[in-house]
Amino acid sequence: MKISKFLWSVLVVFALVPLIAPQQVGAIIVDGRINGQTTFTGSGTTTTTETTGINSTGINSTGIHELDFNGQLFPHGPLSVTNATGDFIPTLGSQATFNLPIRWTGSGSSVNLLDVLPGVGGPAWSILIPGDGFATATLFSLKSVTFDEDSLTLIGRGTTQLITNDPLLGDPLVLKHSAARIVIQGTGQDFTYNLSVVTTAVPESGSGLGLLAIGLVGVVAVEGLRRRIETRQNRYA
């Protein structure tokens, strides 16, 4: 039996109810999919941990490779949002941070992303949009990674979510979500690179079940980031 996308969206709304603060329960609108792209720039460094536990910069190593994001919050960044299109335009001029370094094994197209939790995903970036909400994207897998001491190219797949306040509707939070392609490229020296991180929303091509899955991942992101925003606001109150 096929279930319409509208019904899937209704199910997502019911899933949202227990996860959002009580004062926000009546103010959630599931508004479909994201369109557009966002680009961050910043600095990052790769290291490799051998099976012996010794850090190195071995390009052909069979150990665990790690990309750290340099900055005040090392290894989380931040990175600057330097370009944005479509639904991501409100993020322009903000800063993005990663919750985890990106770690993987293998090389080329035979790579395995580490730190991935079933149904939750792996490393994720987030952007707080002052007075307007936040955006996030989560890596679920890597398609390929190539790097040496002078350059890095990492291509991954995941999901992206955008939670914004719509001034035309008053207080409601508008939830948008989509599959995403995340590409990280950089050039530099000694395994430290000037990075460009490009996240592109992928047009829908799956079934309503895929829409629900992305929506539920978005719900997890909403609650986690909402708590982080509250903590940050309390800290500086």
Side-chain angles (χ1 to χ4, degrees):
M1 177 181 69
K2 291 186 177 180
I3 301 178
S4 70
K5 292 178 182 177
F6 173 77
L7 182 54
W8 283 123
S9 296
V10 172
L11 291 174
V12 171
V13 172
F14 279 110
L16 279 164
V17 171
L19 291 175
I20 305 300
Q23 65 271 23
Q24 296 177 336
V25 167
I28 297 297
I29 299 174
V30 179
D31 193 47
R33 306 185 71 85
I34 296 176
N35 294 302
Q37 183 181 86
T38 183
T39 302
F40 319 145
T41 57
S43 174
T45 301
T46 57
T47 58
T48 298
T49 301
E50 307 288 358
T51 53
T52 58
I54 300 174
N55 287 333
S56 73
T57 54
I59 300 171
N60 298 317
S61 170
T62 57
I64 296 174
H65 308 292
E66 179 174 317
L67 173 61
D68 297 315
F69 299 95
N70 301 326
Q72 220 171 7
L73 303 176
F74 178 88
H76 308 289
L79 296 87
S80 299
V81 183
T82 54
N83 190 39
T85 63
D87 293 318
F88 288 109
I89 288 176
T91 67
L92 190 60
S94 299
Q95 291 189 319
T97 57
F98 278 79
N99 65 338
L100 295 170
I102 298 175
R103 303 195 310 146
W104 70 93
T105 57
S107 61
S109 59
S110 299
V111 287
N112 180 45
L113 178 65
L114 303 180
D115 306 314
V116 178
L117 296 177
V120 176
W125 59 253
S126 61
I127 303 170
L128 177 62
I129 309 170
D132 195 41
F134 49 87
T136 182
T138 304
L139 276 167
F140 274 75
S141 65
L142 294 177
K143 183 178 180 181
S144 66
V145 182
T146 57
F147 75 101
D148 58 25
E149 64 270 26
D150 299 321
S151 64
L152 165 77
T153 299
L154 181 152
I155 301 173
R157 297 189 179 97
T159 62
T160 183
Q161 296 83 34
L162 187 66
I163 317 299
T164 60
N165 297 312
D166 190 335
L168 298 177
L169 298 174
D171 294 329
L173 292 177
V174 177
L175 167 64
K176 294 188 177 185
H177 43 78
S178 178
R181 185 172 186 262
I182 301 172
V183 178
I184 302 177
Q185 293 181 299
T187 57
Q189 59 183 3
D190 298 326
F191 297 93
T192 294
Y193 319 99
N194 295 316
L195 295 177
S196 172
V197 181
V198 180
T199 301
T200 305
V202 178
E204 180 181 355
S205 59
S207 64
L209 181 58
L211 180 65
L212 176 64
I214 293 172
L216 291 178
V217 171
V219 170
V220 174
V222 169
E223 176 63 6
L225 286 176
R226 182 184 64 78
R227 291 179 179 178
R228 289 177 60 187
I229 291 171
E230 288 180 352
T231 300
R232 189 176 302 178
Q233 290 173 338
N234 293 336
R235 183 181 304 166
Y236 295 105

